[in-house]
Amino acid sequence: MGHTDMTYTRKNVLELGGDWADPILWYARGVKAMKARALNEPTGWRFFGAIHGIDQGLWQQLGYLSSSDPMPSSADIATYWNQCQHGSWFFLPWHRGYLLALEAVVRDAVVKLGGPADWALPYWNYFKPNENQLPPAFASADWPDGSGDNPLYVPQRYGPNNDGNVNVPMDQVNLTALGDPDFTGDANGGSPGFGGVDTGFSHNGQVHGGIETQPHDQVHVSVGGGDPESGLPGLMSDPDTAGLDPIFWLHHANIDRLWEVWRQNPSTDMDPSDPNWINGPPAVGDPAFTMPMPGGVSWTYTPGDLSDLSKLNYIYDDVSPPAGTPQLAARLQRLGVNMATAAAPVRSTAMAGPKTVELLGANTQSLRVTGTAASTSLTLDTAVQRKVTTSLQSAAAAAQPAPDRIFLNLENVRGANDATAFNVYINVPEGDDPAKHPELKAGTIALFGVRKATVADAQHAGDGLTFVLEITHVIDTLHLAGALNVSQLHVRLVPLNPVPEAAQISIGRISVFRQST
Ligand SMILES: [Cu+2]
């Protein structure tokens, strides 16, 4: 990044002093300027959307591409398009660079229009009380003076109920990932880490990381939803169209902010020190991350360049830990540990490796999800189950202050429609309404990226996506209720909206793993 003495402050979009406060109004003007540029201009709005991902058929169907659009050179397409990193430990740093580039391009347009030189991208913190509705400037088709053509407005946002009311339901998102002590995980059934699993360049990788699964994926699908008439996803629901929606950038600024919140938590570890992360994909012979910048300049970056916010030229106005961040100390207390006499400090035990990951149980055949419910049973391995119980009991005896963590894996999730999400419950008694059992809720999964991951192409085998939910809290609850010593766990999926047959959603296997700490 070019050096500048200026520090830019990213602020909460709903606390700027008005629906159309200056930073929002200037964002709209900057977006309008970018939207006026042709498809082949690297600082254009659609070019930036295609950097995240482009499916030409989908863009045409949604009205974002026509045969008269000038395509960029094949060199530009190869360098810039279809870069977004998902299912990867590059998820956070790649998107940080993507935001910095977009912010620089918008700011350049803002300054040329006579706007403030310190303009910065606002963020949308849907977790704050009463801030989970789409910010009003994005929901109105009009500019504040009543004239139409508000560039922040997108008709293809259907919301969580596909009725056009766009918000993030608080019972569908969580901050469990903020309590994960490790940035990196393995794709082995245990924690995928706060930041994701070790990969090379990973456009649409298979195993989604902690913060990526929740809240990131879910917010995409809550906002985007799907068109109940055409069956097409909203722009935000599919990685090949998400970057076209101006709210994308405020959502990702919030995810980027949560990375800094995680880093400042004394109970969590550091960003990876592995040179394959620090140096990015070129360390393993893969393409570098490259963004267009204002003035025809191109910027190549590595994760190591971007991990430390204090070395960059922007800050967030608030990186305090949000309510709902899981605390290991609170878990130990629930399990009966006397914290006054607990031997080892929480931080060091949480990060002591190496970890053992073992299969605790799985179902035996793939599960098709249609309509309003699906369920399956997981047969448990008695020996592994005994280890879990022993670990939870000895935690209470303070002999081992960091008990096992448990992870539910939805493996090889395949399908044709990303605007699909479901709640996952464990051991809800037969005949009971799952909604009445929040203590048995594993979490909510949104299938952001599933369509692409289901199609076999040059880079992918079409194996679908794998989502990992930490269900430690549910297992603790069952243990404390004396209900863990069973031969099977029952998993119930409750789609947020009925899943049509045409979505072709299937889950290859559902499994549960224990991970020692
Ligand atoms: Cu995203």
Side-chain angles (χ1 to χ4, degrees):
M1 310 258 345
H3 182 264
T4 165
D5 292 331
M6 183 106 63
T7 297
Y8 304 100
T9 304
R10 294 186 185 166
K11 296 177 183 164
N12 182 321
V13 69
L14 288 163
E15 298 177 5
L16 290 171
D19 292 354
W20 281 96
D22 264 7
I24 305 171
L25 191 58
W26 282 108
Y27 180 48
R29 290 171 176 154
V31 171
K32 182 183 174 188
M34 286 182 72
K35 283 188 171 178
R37 295 171 189 157
L39 180 65
N40 61 357
E41 288 185 61
T43 58
W45 186 254
R46 288 180 296 159
F47 194 100
F48 260 80
I51 292 173
H52 197 271
I54 174 169
D55 178 282
Q56 295 197 19
L58 202 49
W59 280 40
Q60 278 162 3
Q61 282 178 291
L62 290 163
Y64 285 85
L65 183 67
S66 81
S67 52
S68 60
D69 282 317
M71 289 303 277
S73 68
S74 49
D76 275 357
I77 290 178
T79 302
Y80 296 114
W81 283 15
N82 293 311
Q83 266 190 73
C84 76
Q85 300 290 299
H86 291 99
S88 166
W89 62 352
F90 296 136
F91 168 72
L92 288 165
W94 182 85
H95 282 86
R96 176 166 285 180
Y98 187 42
L99 290 183
L100 280 166
L102 180 282
E103 186 176 47
V105 170
V106 171
R107 184 184 299 127
D108 180 65
V110 164
V111 169
K112 283 179 177 144
L113 291 165
D118 65 349
W119 181 86
L121 192 62
Y123 63 87
W124 179 22
N125 182 7
Y126 22 76
F127 282 104
K128 259 196 152 177
N130 304 315
E131 297 194 359
N132 64 331
Q133 282 283 334
L134 184 70
F138 294 78
S140 159
D142 294 330
W143 288 90
D145 67 3
S147 60
D149 233 8
N150 171 11
L152 303 183
Y153 176 72
V154 162
Q156 301 97 345
R157 278 185 208 124
Y158 300 96
N161 302 315
N162 296 336
D163 59 4
N165 177 12
V166 181
N167 64 91
V168 178
M170 282 298 101
D171 61 349
Q172 294 171 12
V173 284
N174 68 61
L175 289 164
T176 304
L178 281 182
D180 200 313
D182 303 310
F183 185 97
T184 311
D186 292 306
N188 61 1
S191 171
F194 170 78
V197 299
D198 180 351
T199 67
F201 189 96
S202 177
H203 184 59
N204 209 33
Q206 188 169 354
V207 180
H208 281 210
I211 195 74
E212 184 180 8
T213 301
Q214 271 289 2
H216 165 265
D217 290 348
Q218 184 59 45
V219 171
H220 269 282
V221 171
S222 291
V223 170
D227 182 349
E229 269 143 52
S230 68
L232 289 172
L235 295 187
M236 277 283 277
S237 297
D238 192 300
D240 278 342
T241 50
L244 292 168
D245 188 332
I247 198 64
F248 171 98
W249 306 90
L250 281 72
H251 167 38
H252 265 278
N254 194 44
I255 297 296
D256 188 66
R257 190 182 67 87
L258 291 173
W259 182 10
E260 186 61 16
V261 172
W262 179 86
R263 281 170 53 95
Q264 295 195 7
N265 182 345
S267 305
T268 59
D269 199 2
M270 312 293 281
D271 294 335
S273 53
D274 186 332
N276 287 353
W277 186 82
I278 291 173
N279 298 319
V284 293
D286 286 345
F289 302 149
T290 306
M291 295 293 157
M293 296 296 271
V297 177
S298 147
W299 170 49
T300 295
Y301 60 94
T302 66
D305 293 339
L306 300 190
S307 82
D308 188 349
L309 212 51
S310 74
K311 298 201 173 99
L312 301 174
N313 61 3
Y314 74 97
I315 56 172
Y316 288 101
D317 64 351
D318 181 7
V319 289
S320 56
T325 305
Q327 306 290 345
L328 180 55
R331 179 184 180 210
L332 295 176
Q333 233 152 6
R334 272 197 305 276
L335 287 171
V337 176
N338 180 344
M339 294 309 285
T341 59
V346 165
R347 182 186 165 89
S348 59
T349 46
M351 288 180 296
K355 300 163 177 40
T356 303
V357 174
E358 283 181 290
L359 181 68
L360 171 60
N363 67 353
T364 52
Q365 35 182 283
S366 80
L367 180 68
R368 190 68 193 262
V369 184
T370 51
T372 56
S375 61
T376 187
S377 295
L378 283 51
T379 302
L380 302 183
D381 179 307
T382 320
V384 178
Q385 184 185 23
R386 205 171 300 126
K387 288 185 197 172
V388 173
T389 306
T390 303
S391 143
L392 297 175
Q393 285 166 346
S394 53
Q400 181 204 16
D404 286 354
R405 296 166 67 200
I406 311 293
F407 297 89
L408 182 75
N409 284 235
L410 304 169
E411 304 173 17
N412 303 105
V413 182
R414 305 175 84 247
N417 195 323
D418 293 30
T420 306
F422 34 79
N423 291 326
V424 184
Y425 292 90
I426 304 211
N427 278 14
V428 173
E430 193 111 24
D432 277 17
D433 177 3
K436 300 247 163 65
H437 289 282
E439 79 286 4
L440 298 175
K441 186 174 174 184
T444 310
I445 289 289
L447 307 190
F448 184 68
V450 78
R451 174 186 60 80
K452 253 180 126 155
T454 299
V455 180
D457 63 19
Q459 282 91 43
H460 307 99
D463 290 337
L465 299 177
T466 291
F467 297 95
V468 184
L469 289 174
E470 177 157 13
I471 57 165
T472 302
H473 58 290
V474 178
I475 296 298
D476 285 355
T477 300
L478 293 172
H479 167 72
L480 292 171
L484 191 54
N485 200 7
V486 289
S487 60
Q488 289 194 318
L489 284 183
H490 303 286
V491 175
R492 226 200 274 189
L493 307 180
V494 182
L496 302 183
N497 293 295
V499 178
E501 206 47 63
Q504 294 179 43
I505 308 296
S506 67
I507 303 172
R509 185 174 85 150
I510 300 186
S511 55
V512 177
F513 288 78
R514 74 174 272 265
Q515 176 172 308
S516 72
T517 46

